[in-house]
Amino acid sequence: MHVRQRVAGTVAALALAASGLLAVAPAASASASAPAALSCSARLITGSGGHRGAEIRCTGSSFTGVVDCKRTDNGYVYRHFGNRVPSGGTSTVWCDLNATVVQAYGTPS
């Protein structure tokens, strides 16, 4: 009987703690400023070794360039990140050799 009471007490305490955390989370996220909307353009590029990549330029806030790449041998899709740059800058991102760019974009950072 004592074990059941302890388990019930522990479950109740965890439930109360979790509900307290859930109640606090919206207030904390509401106080954080929303990221600025980005306006981006991308230009596909080819490197001297045959690597494919993209030059991504965005305005609105600092950002990091992102490309989704697809390997030509097995179709595997993966993601690479470029350098973080201020608004108006250019982030260059490269895929591995024998891969193509599927999608290129910027993400606020």
Side-chain angles (χ1 to χ4, degrees), residues 19-98:
S19 66
L21 290 175
L22 292 175
V24 172
S29 63
S31 66
S33 62
L38 290 178
S39 175
C40 299
S41 62
R43 184 174 72 93
L44 299 179
I45 54 177
T46 302
S48 60
H51 289 80
R52 306 287 182 180
E55 290 179 339
I56 302 155
R57 178 177 218 143
C58 298
T59 58
S61 72
S62 58
F63 70 98
T64 300
V66 182
V67 292
D68 292 334
C69 305
K70 183 176 183 179
R71 288 182 45 168
T72 56
D73 58 351
N74 61 10
Y76 179 73
V77 177
Y78 59 94
R79 181 168 290 159
H80 273 184
F81 295 88
N83 51 317
R84 181 179 187 270
V85 294
S87 177
T90 301
S91 180
T92 304
V93 192
W94 295 99
C95 292
D96 296 335
L97 195 58
N98 298 323

